[in-house]
Amino acid sequence: MGDNDGGGAVHEVTFDELLEDPATFVGQPVRVTGSVYFVAECPPPGSANTDCVLFGYLAGPARRTLIAADVGQTIALAEGGRRLSCLEGSLPTPTCGDWASESTYTIDGIVQQQVLGGRETSLVQLDVSEKSAPQPW
């Protein structure tokens, strides 16, 4: 075993492997292929802020729709340790930065515990370091 025995090697995993036991991969670099979706979270009616925010999720590569009730079957996406999000626009298919919703990507990233209000949660996110060009279906 030399210095190149994979200490920083990327683990190629299937989306199902990652979703089944994400805690196994926390802190590890992974490469996974899946479908990217954005789900809008909107403030309650009557709030001063009325803008909906889109949050990015990675789902299985065979999935063709994602509704808010199904986000438990996804992995949240992050960039630079922060959840991938943007304000909702008016386009029929949401985009967020250079991400296209309802497209398949191969992503390299680090699996992290999500932090909310300074505390780790039981949820994980995939902090993206590289991604392929989007592959439309």
Side-chain angles (χ1 to χ4, degrees):
M1 296 200 348
D3 290 338
N4 295 327
D5 62 2
V10 172
H11 301 282
E12 289 209 30
V13 298
T14 67
F15 177 80
D16 288 339
E17 288 172 322
L18 187 58
L19 186 63
E20 192 173 293
D21 193 7
T24 304
F25 299 102
V26 168
Q28 295 185 40
V30 297
R31 175 173 292 149
V32 62
T33 298
S35 297
V36 169
Y37 292 91
F38 290 92
V39 174
E41 293 184 16
C42 302
S47 301
N49 182 3
T50 57
D51 292 329
C52 295
V53 176
L54 297 173
F55 286 95
Y57 294 91
L58 185 69
R63 184 180 275 273
R64 292 293 175 262
T65 60
L66 181 69
I67 59 172
D70 291 341
V71 297
Q73 301 163 25
T74 66
I75 302 285
L77 292 169
E79 290 182 316
R82 296 176 56 105
R83 287 285 309 277
L84 176 60
S85 64
C86 58
L87 289 179
E88 185 174 35
S90 57
L91 297 173
T93 300
T95 57
C96 202
D98 60 353
W99 291 88
S101 188
E102 300 177 15
S103 296
T104 300
Y105 287 86
T106 297
I107 294 173
D108 287 0
I110 305 281
V111 180
Q112 303 173 326
Q113 291 293 143
Q114 273 188 31
V115 176
L116 194 61
R119 292 195 172 152
E120 282 191 354
T121 70
S122 60
L123 301 174
V124 299
Q125 63 189 21
L126 182 60
D127 194 21
V128 178
S129 52
E130 285 187 52
K131 65 181 183 292
S132 68
Q135 303 298 311
W137 300 326

